Amino acid sequence: MTVSATARRLTAAALSAAAVTAAIAVPASAADHRAKGPSVEISRVQYDSPGRDNRSIRSLNAEWVEITNNTRRTVNLDGWTLSDRDGHTYTFHHYRLDGRSTVRVHTGIGRDSRHDLYQDRRNYVWNNTSDTATLRNDHHRFVDSVSWGGHRHR
């Protein structure tokens, strides 16, 4: 075998190894990014309150959406909105979500606290069969959404 043939084979082997390494590294970094998740997200939705849907305060407050701050920093949610597909919208007022914490936004009437906020509605918001909860920031920019039933968006 000549020196040039050996050099070509070594070069081809090195390029193949580099291509394999790059192919493995790209999905790993994308997976790491996905594992982190968004800084603020809709983490859980209880769209079908347990028991009878009798529009009692207890039943309305058993319908809720949880918003989680995955960062260490407090996030000012003042002016952010949470809405459904039909346009029912809740606007956060003077609320700061601590780092690494969650707030539950109930549909019914109640007294706001650090971990529970109330929309003060007398009717259900989230459709049991299918709906989409959408969170937007104070500039009306999309932050996160969760869907269930027939129309799935995320």
Side-chain angles (χ1 to χ4, degrees):
M1 191 180 313
T2 66
V3 172
S4 63
T6 303
R8 280 195 300 258
R9 286 187 179 161
L10 287 173
T11 301
L15 290 173
S16 295
V20 168
T21 301
I24 292 170
V26 170
S29 64
D32 290 344
H33 178 68
R34 272 184 269 122
K36 262 185 171 177
S39 56
V40 177
E41 68 179 341
I42 298 172
S43 49
R44 289 177 56 198
V45 179
Q46 177 63 49
Y47 54 85
D48 186 5
S49 61
R52 292 176 7 134
D53 288 347
N54 58 9
R55 290 186 22 211
S56 68
I57 297 299
R58 183 179 191 156
S59 180
L60 287 167
N61 285 335
E63 181 181 85
W64 45 259
V65 175
E66 285 184 347
I67 309 296
T68 298
N69 177 1
N70 295 309
T71 70
R72 293 181 186 169
R73 294 185 179 149
T74 298
V75 175
N76 184 358
L77 297 184
D78 190 36
W80 287 43
T81 59
L82 178 65
S83 60
D84 74 341
R85 255 196 338 247
D86 293 329
H88 300 102
T89 303
Y90 170 76
T91 302
F92 292 83
H93 294 288
H94 310 294
Y95 184 79
R96 293 177 166 287
L97 183 57
D98 292 334
R100 307 250 189 260
S101 64
T102 298
V103 64
R104 188 174 279 186
V105 182
H106 301 270
T107 298
I109 298 168
R111 185 176 296 233
D112 291 345
S113 69
R114 288 290 323 129
H115 301 289
D116 293 283
L117 298 174
Y118 297 85
Q119 296 189 48
D120 295 331
R121 295 182 184 273
R122 297 183 186 280
N123 289 306
Y124 298 97
V125 171
W126 310 108
N127 295 329
N128 294 350
T129 54
S130 70
D131 209 340
T132 300
T134 302
L135 182 66
R136 294 186 181 276
N137 69 17
D138 56 332
H139 299 292
H140 307 292
R141 291 192 183 108
F142 175 86
V143 174
D144 194 21
S145 70
V146 172
S147 298
W148 56 93
H151 302 343
R152 297 205 181 272
H153 305 287
R154 176 112 192 173

